[in-house]
Amino acid sequence: MNQIMNHQSPMTSRVTSRRVFLKASAAAGGGLLLNFKLAPLSAAAANTPETAYGAFIRVAPDGIVTIAAKNPEIGQGIKTSLPMIIAEELDVDWKNVRVETASVSEEKFGLQSAGGSTSIPRNWDNMRRVGAAGRQMLVEAAAKTLRVPASELTTASGVVTHAASGRSLTYGEIASKAAVVPVPDLKTVVLKDPKTFKIIGTATKDVDGPAIVTGKPLYGIDVSVPGMLYATYEKSPVFAGTVARANVDEVKAMPGVRHVIVVPGTLAPGATRLNSGLSGGVAIVADSWWQAVTARRKLRIEWNTPASVSQSSEGFAARAAELAKQKPEMSIRRDGDVDAAFKGAAKIVEASYSYPFLAHACMEPQNATAHFKDGKLEIWSPTQNPGAGRGIAAKALGVAEKDITMHMVRAGGGFGRRGANGNEMCAEAAWIAREAGAPVKLVWTREDDIRRDTYRPGGFHNFKAGLDAQGKLIALSDHFVSYGSNGNFANNAAMGGNIFPAEFVPNLDFGASLMPLGTPTGSLRAPGSNALAFVFQSFLDELAHASGRDPLEFHLDLLKERRAKAAGGGDDGRAAFNPERMTGVLKLVAEKAGWGKRTLPANTALGLAYYFSHSGYVAHVAEVMVNGPNPTPRNVKVNKIWVVADVGGHIVNPSGAENQVQGAVLDGIGQIMGQAITIARGATVESNFDAFPLLRINQAPPVEVHFLRTGNNPTGLGEPALPPTLPAIANAIFAVTGKRLRDLPLSKSPGASV
Amino acid sequence: MAYTLNINGVRHTVDVDGETPLLWVLRDTLDLKGAKYGCGGGMCGACTVHINGSPARSCVLPVAGVVTAAITTIEAIGDTPVGKKVQEAWLAVDVAQCGYCQPGQIMAATALLTSKPKPTDAEIEAHMNGNICRCATYNRIRTAIKMAAGEIA
Ligand code: FES
Ligand code: FES
C-alpha cells in the first residue's frame, strides 16, 4: 500500500460508515459479557457467523470491568487509550478497569493494526457507542429491578442511582440481569456530553507500566515456548539474492547447533518488496541463541546476486543530478502556466534538496517465534499488523490462513517497520520451525535489523519559484527525482499532488522522474511527510527570506491564498486541508515561543515550520544555537522546541499524547543530525548504532507541547508531530548562520567534514 | 563449563561456554527476561545490569568474568530503596512508550542516584547518555530522575 498516494474518502465518512455489531450474554462466573465486532471496511459483515464475535467487555459481579484491547501495542499507548474511551461511556471508574490483550482476528475485531495514526480516529465513535450501549443495558436492568422508569435513573462510577427514592445498585449487582436486556441500537444510544467526560481527557498511566518497570516478560523477544530452539538467519546482503553454496557441515559441527537449514526463498527474481515472499538464506538453529550466532560467524555463503548489486547511493545521487537537468518523466500536478509566470516574476529562486534512506531501528530487534505442528502454525510476534504476518507466513509455507494462530505480543517500537510492508520474520520463523521440527524463536541481530529493513526511501527535489514585486509566491515547480520503474513509484517513494502549497499558488508544476531500486522501501513514522515536510517547508522559508519578509507573516499570508476548495488536500489525502486550522496552530506556536518578541542569546535563532499529515495540524518553533560558521552535529544545539497540535476536540489521554509528541519531535532531531542509510554494491553499509546513531539524552532538548482544541473528531498523534521538526531546525540554523541545510543529514553536510 | 553466579542474592549454576555474554545467560538460561537485547555491542544500554552496584552492559560481559560478582537485575532492583524510588518515579511520570529500553534506563538511573543522590542536569546527561531510548522519552526520564531524587514532587 502506498500511503501517500492513497487519496480516498475523507476520514470522517470512513469512521462513521463502519458498522458495529454488538451481542450480549451472561459471562462465565456471572455478570455481563458484551461482545462486539466491527464490520470490515470493505465487506458487508452483517451475516458473519456468531463465532466471529470476540469477548470485549465483561462486567463482573464484583464490579470489575475487563476490556480487551484490540489494537497492537507498539508504544503508542493504544492499549490504554481505547479502553479509556469505552470505560468513559460505560461510566465506570478507571481504577476498576482491567485491560487484556485481544487475540488476533480481523473478523472479530475489524482491522487490527497500528499505523497511520489511525487507531483513535477509526475507533473513537465505535468505542463510545459500545460503552454507551453497555451503560444503557445496565440502566434498563436497574429500572426493572427497582421498578422505576429508566429515565429517572442516573449513573456514575459504576453505580445506577434513583435519586427520587434514594436507592442505588452497583453495576456488579445488576450485571447478570443486564445480560438478558435486548441490545440497543448503536446508532441511537445516548452518548455523554463531552463536557462531563471524566476519563477521556484525563492523564492516564500506561496499563503495562508496572510490568515494564519491573522487567516482566512482555515483548515478542521474551516469548518462551516449551521445547523451543533458537535461530539466527543470514540473508543475502543484496535483497533477493539466493544461496549458491554454504559450508553447512562445518557450521553444523559447532557447539549446540542442531540444524543448519538452507532456505531456498520464494521471492520472484527482481522482487523489490519485502513482503512479496520469503528471502533465501541460511538458518542456524541451536540450543541457545548465543550458540546460534556464534556458529554463524563461521558461516561462509556464496550468493547468487541480483542485478541490483550495481546500485549505490553515490550512483543514485549522480543519476538524480543528471535527471534534474531533463524534463520530468511524468507529471504529478499542473496548475496555470508556470513557464509564463516565471518569465513575468520579479524574482526567481532555485534550490535542490535531498534526503537519505532511513532505517526504523526499533529498539526491539525483529523477531518471531513459531511452532508448526500437524499442518497448523502458531506464531508469536511483536507486530503492528498481525494479519499481515499471518498472510506472509501462509503464502511462504502454503498453509491456509485459517490454520495459523497469531499471538499479538507487545512490540518494542514499531515506527512502520512492523506494519503491512514487513512481517517477513513471521514467515522466516515459520519456515525454520517447520524444517527444525520444533518450536523456534528467531531473533534478528541488530545488524540484521538495520541491514534488512524497509527503508524510508531517499529522494531529490529540484525547486524553482517565482515571486512577484510584492514578494508574493506566484509560481512553483518541483522536479522530484525518486525511485521506481515503469512509471510506478517504489513503495512509499511517491509524492501526491496536494502537497502544500499546492492550491495556494496559481501556477504550479510538480513532476517526477524515477530510478530503479532493488532495495525494499516502506513506511516510516509519518510516511511521505517525514521527508516532504523538510523540503517544502525549508524551501518556503527560503522564499520568505528572498521576499524580504518575516517567515511567520509570509506563511500567514500564504495560507490565505487558497485557490479552490478542493476535495482532496493534505499530503496523505486522508482529509481536506483546512488553512484556518493551520493558521490557528501557527499563531499559537509563535505566541508560545515568543516569535519576534524575545531577545535571544548570541548565535541563537528561531526557526518555524508546520505541516499537515495524518489529519493533524502541527506547527513547531525551534530555538537553535550554532557555535561556528559551518553547522555540524557537534556545534548545533537545539535549545528547545515548542509544538502546537490541533488533532481535534479531544485528547483521549493527555499523558500519552504529550509523550508521543515529544518522542516524535526528538525522533526528528535524531534524523536531521546524523541518520542515513547508505547503499553500496546493492547492499546496506550501516549495521549498528555506531553508524546509524539514534538520538541520545544529551541531544534531547525540552519539548513544550500544547494542544489546540477544536471541534473536530480526534485524530492520531504518533506521527504528525514529527514532520515539522526537521525544517524548523534547518530554518533556525539558516537564521543563525545564513547557511541552508539542503542535504540531510547534518553530519554529511560539507560543513561537518571541515 | 559450569559457572556459579550470584544473581539477585541467589546462587545459580549454569553450564555454558565461558564466552557467553551474561545477557544471554540471564535471558535464555535463567529465564530472566528483564535485561533486553538492543545492539549487542555496548552501545545502547538496553541490557544494563549492576555488577557490584555499578552499571554494566551485560551484552559484552563474558559470563566467566562475573563469577565472583554480585549481579543485580531489573527483576530485583526494586528491593533496594533507591531502585524502588526510581521505579515509583518512572510510574508516576508515566515515562514509558514502548518500554523496551526502560529496564536499562531504570538500572542506569538507580546506579546514578545511589552514587549521587542529587545529580545536576549535566551529571544526569553524562550518566544517562549511554542508554538509548528509541521512543525518545528523554524529557520524562529527566523528570523521573529528579522526582526520585526528591527534587520535584
Ligand atoms: S544490548 Fe547491550 S548495550 Fe546494547
Ligand atoms: S520507551 Fe521505547 S525505546 Fe524507550
Side-chain angles (χ1 to χ4, degrees):
Chain A
M1 187 181 75
N2 202 320
Q3 306 204 13
I4 55 175
M5 289 299 280
N6 187 9
H7 296 244
Q8 289 171 354
S9 56
M11 171 81 60
T12 43
S13 75
R14 192 195 284 201
V15 168
T16 50
S17 66
R18 297 197 65 207
R19 295 172 64 197
V20 192
F21 303 93
L22 190 63
K23 189 165 88 75
S25 58
L32 166 67
L33 185 66
L34 271 179
N35 296 272
F36 86 87
K37 67 173 178 181
L38 299 172
L41 288 170
S42 48
N47 48 10
T48 314
E50 291 259 305
T51 52
Y53 285 82
F56 229 84
I57 307 170
R58 186 167 64 233
V59 184
D62 61 359
I64 294 294
V65 176
T66 305
I67 299 175
K70 65 175 274 288
N71 281 60
E73 177 63 62
I74 57 169
Q76 84 286 41
I78 210 71
K79 190 172 173 184
T80 308
S81 53
L82 285 184
M84 284 173 69
I85 301 172
I86 294 175
E88 177 70 67
E89 291 290 351
L90 195 59
D91 215 6
V92 294
D93 283 346
W94 183 247
K95 68 171 168 26
N96 293 327
V97 174
R98 309 285 176 264
V99 179
E100 281 175 7
T101 299
S103 63
V104 174
S105 166
E106 306 255 312
E107 272 173 43
K108 283 180 193 165
F109 299 125
L111 187 62
Q112 284 173 298
S113 78
S117 288
T118 53
S119 298
I120 289 287
R122 279 202 183 112
N123 294 296
W124 165 253
D125 190 67
N126 291 327
M127 296 286 155
R128 287 186 70 189
R129 286 180 190 281
V130 166
R135 178 186 163 276
Q136 191 170 320
M137 291 166 72
L138 288 155
V139 166
E140 273 165 33
K144 271 204 200 100
T145 310
L146 299 174
R147 298 175 195 285
V148 294
S151 59
E152 290 179 12
L153 296 171
T154 56
T155 58
S157 300
V159 177
V160 189
T161 302
H162 186 242
S165 64
R167 288 176 299 165
S168 64
L169 289 165
T170 67
Y171 281 9
E173 286 168 331
I174 43 173
S176 299
K177 289 186 183 143
V180 295
V181 170
V183 174
D185 182 355
L186 286 176
K187 285 200 285 296
T188 58
V189 290
V190 182
L191 297 175
K192 276 189 177 179
D193 177 349
K195 282 196 217 58
T196 67
F197 281 167
K198 291 197 206 85
I199 299 173
I200 294 173
T202 302
T204 304
K205 297 182 170 65
D206 188 326
V207 294
D208 280 339
I212 289 169
V213 304
T214 51
K216 296 274 167 349
L218 281 174
Y219 301 88
I221 203 168
D222 300 336
V223 165
S224 240
V225 177
M228 179 175 89
L229 298 173
Y230 298 80
T232 186
Y233 187 41
E234 177 136 341
K235 290 168 281 191
S236 166
V238 183
F239 182 68
T242 54
V243 179
R245 246 175 306 279
N247 58 340
V248 171
D249 292 333
E250 194 182 336
V251 176
K252 220 183 233 165
M254 294 287 290
V257 174
R258 298 280 192 101
H259 309 272
V260 178
I261 300 161
V262 176
V263 181
T266 64
L267 285 172
T272 56
R273 295 224 175 195
L274 259 181
N275 58 357
S276 61
L278 180 63
S279 290
V282 176
I284 301 168
V285 183
D287 292 332
S288 79
W289 190 72
W290 185 252
Q291 288 172 324
V293 295
T294 303
R296 182 172 164 185
R297 289 194 212 115
K298 284 267 180 301
L299 185 61
R300 298 288 170 265
I301 306 175
E302 232 176 86
W303 299 100
N304 299 313
T305 299
S308 57
V309 69
S310 63
Q311 296 177 352
S312 70
S313 292
E314 229 169 71
F316 289 136
R319 176 73 183 137
E322 273 168 30
L323 287 167
K325 292 187 203 122
Q326 304 165 15
K327 283 219 160 319
E329 281 166 25
M330 58 175 134
S331 174
I332 295 173
R333 177 180 185 135
R334 222 169 256 154
D335 295 330
D337 183 343
V338 279
D339 291 329
F342 285 146
K343 280 198 194 94
K347 197 167 199 174
I348 295 287
V349 182
E350 286 181 273
S352 294
Y353 283 80
S354 76
Y355 43 83
F357 294 90
L358 288 180
H360 296 80
C362 302
M363 204 71 218
E364 178 188 8
Q366 305 306 321
N367 64 83
T369 302
H371 190 190
F372 184 83
K373 204 172 159 233
D374 305 331
K376 290 195 167 42
L377 249 175
E378 219 172 331
I379 299 175
W380 295 257
S381 188
T383 169
Q384 283 175 263
N385 193 326
R390 173 170 25 221
I392 185 169
K395 220 165 85 189
L397 274 72
V399 174
E401 294 209 7
K402 67 167 177 35
D403 290 330
I404 304 179
T405 307
M406 294 294 294
H407 298 277
M408 205 155 68
V409 197
R410 189 180 182 96
F415 311 105
R417 176 61 180 91
R418 310 184 203 263
N421 301 319
N423 280 286
E424 72 280 20
M425 60 296 300
C426 294
E428 294 171 1
W431 186 285
I432 298 166
R434 184 177 66 184
E435 299 302 303
V440 167
K441 172 149 81 177
L442 168 69
V443 177
W444 290 18
T445 62
R446 173 57 64 196
E447 289 78 9
D448 295 332
D449 186 271
I450 289 186
R451 298 170 96 170
R452 184 52 72 80
D453 197 349
T454 48
Y455 302 107
R456 189 284 301 273
F460 304 82
H461 291 259
N462 303 282
F463 289 114
K464 184 172 178 182
L467 301 166
D468 71 8
Q470 284 72 48
K472 215 165 104 175
L473 176 58
I474 53 166
L476 175 69
S477 70
D478 177 17
H479 181 178
F480 174 37
V481 180
S482 185
Y483 298 96
S485 49
N486 304 326
N488 295 314
F489 286 96
N491 196 11
N492 266 274
M495 170 172 118
N498 292 320
I499 310 296
F500 183 81
E503 296 181 7
F504 292 74
V505 188
N507 305 289
L508 184 118
D509 189 352
F510 289 168
S513 300
L514 302 180
M515 304 182 284
L517 175 70
T519 302
T521 51
S523 51
L524 172 71
R525 190 180 212 168
S529 321
N530 56 33
L532 296 169
F534 167 69
V535 297
F536 278 88
Q537 287 286 309
S538 294
F539 189 60
L540 285 173
D541 192 70
E542 291 202 47
L543 299 180
H545 287 283
S547 70
R549 306 183 59 204
D550 174 74
L552 176 63
E553 276 165 31
F554 177 87
H555 283 298
L556 290 174
D557 283 349
L558 180 59
L559 282 162
K560 291 185 198 131
E561 295 289 326
R562 172 154 245 174
R563 318 294 309 169
K565 281 252 183 292
D571 67 308
D572 55 12
R574 285 170 208 246
F577 175 65
N578 177 338
E580 284 80 37
R581 290 179 72 182
M582 191 56 88
T583 300
V585 293
L586 202 47
K587 283 185 171 160
L588 188 57
V589 80
E591 183 191 315
K592 295 287 179 192
W595 181 269
K597 300 241 156 35
R598 285 193 297 135
T599 323
L600 295 161
N603 306 324
T604 304
L606 302 181
L608 179 94
Y610 53 91
Y611 211 67
F612 173 62
S613 70
H614 299 84
S615 314
Y617 297 78
V618 186
H620 290 23
V621 170
E623 184 188 304
V624 177
M625 180 194 281
V626 188
N627 291 309
N630 294 305
T632 75
R634 282 185 306 282
N635 64 20
V636 169
K637 183 165 190 310
V638 182
N639 291 336
K640 182 166 177 177
I641 295 192
W642 290 260
V643 180
V644 175
D646 169 2
V647 286
H650 301 282
I651 305 295
V652 175
N653 184 358
S655 175
E658 183 200 57
N659 211 349
Q660 285 296 315
V661 170
Q662 290 179 331
V665 169
L666 297 182
D667 200 354
I669 300 180
Q671 291 180 1
I672 195 172
M673 288 296 174
Q675 291 179 5
I677 287 294
T678 316
I679 312 286
R681 300 183 50 75
T684 302
V685 173
E686 294 77 10
S687 65
N688 210 320
F689 299 142
D690 47 353
F692 191 80
L694 299 182
L695 192 83
R696 291 177 187 270
I697 196 168
N698 68 348
Q699 296 170 299
V703 179
E704 184 179 312
V705 182
H706 299 274
F707 294 107
L708 184 62
R709 311 291 171 110
T710 55
N712 299 284
N713 265 349
T715 50
L717 272 171
E719 316 196 56
L722 185 149
T725 307
L726 292 95
I729 294 170
N731 295 343
I733 290 174
F734 176 80
V736 183
T737 63
K739 301 251 158 67
R740 184 62 67 179
L741 176 62
R742 296 200 184 90
D743 302 291
L744 292 179
L746 193 52
S747 58
K748 302 243 158 85
S749 70
S753 52
V754 174
Chain B
M1 202 185 137
Y3 295 91
T4 300
L5 303 172
N6 173 0
I7 300 166
N8 301 329
V10 180
R11 302 181 80 76
H12 298 267
T13 301
V14 296
D15 186 12
V16 295
D17 186 278
E19 287 299 305
T20 310
L22 175 61
L23 174 65
W24 299 106
V25 174
L26 292 172
R27 291 186 55 82
D28 292 349
T29 312
L30 299 172
D31 205 28
L32 289 167
K33 299 280 201 281
K36 297 291 189 246
Y37 168 57
C39 67
M43 290 177 270
C44 75
C47 62
T48 305
V49 298
H50 289 185
I51 300 292
N52 299 324
S54 298
R57 306 289 182 241
S58 66
C59 69
V60 289
L61 222 51
V63 72
V66 294
V67 282
T68 57
I71 300 162
T72 311
T73 69
I74 184 73
E75 283 86 354
I77 199 67
D79 297 344
T80 70
V82 178
K84 186 161 192 287
K85 245 191 239 159
V86 170
Q87 285 174 330
E88 281 166 3
W90 242 252
L91 288 176
V93 176
D94 198 21
V95 174
Q97 284 187 33
C98 81
Y100 192 79
C101 72
Q102 301 298 346
Q105 306 281 358
I106 288 169
M107 294 306 283
T110 303
L112 169 66
L113 292 172
T114 305
S115 62
K116 283 209 177 68
K118 305 261 179 227
T120 63
D121 284 2
E123 284 167 342
I124 292 175
E125 269 186 16
H127 184 90
M128 299 300 292
N129 217 40
N131 286 76
I132 293 174
C133 175
R134 172 69 179 90
C135 303
T137 59
Y138 298 120
N139 278 250
R140 288 188 176 189
I141 288 174
R142 275 200 201 95
T143 307
I145 291 176
K146 290 184 178 171
M147 183 181 282
E151 289 183 355
I152 51 171

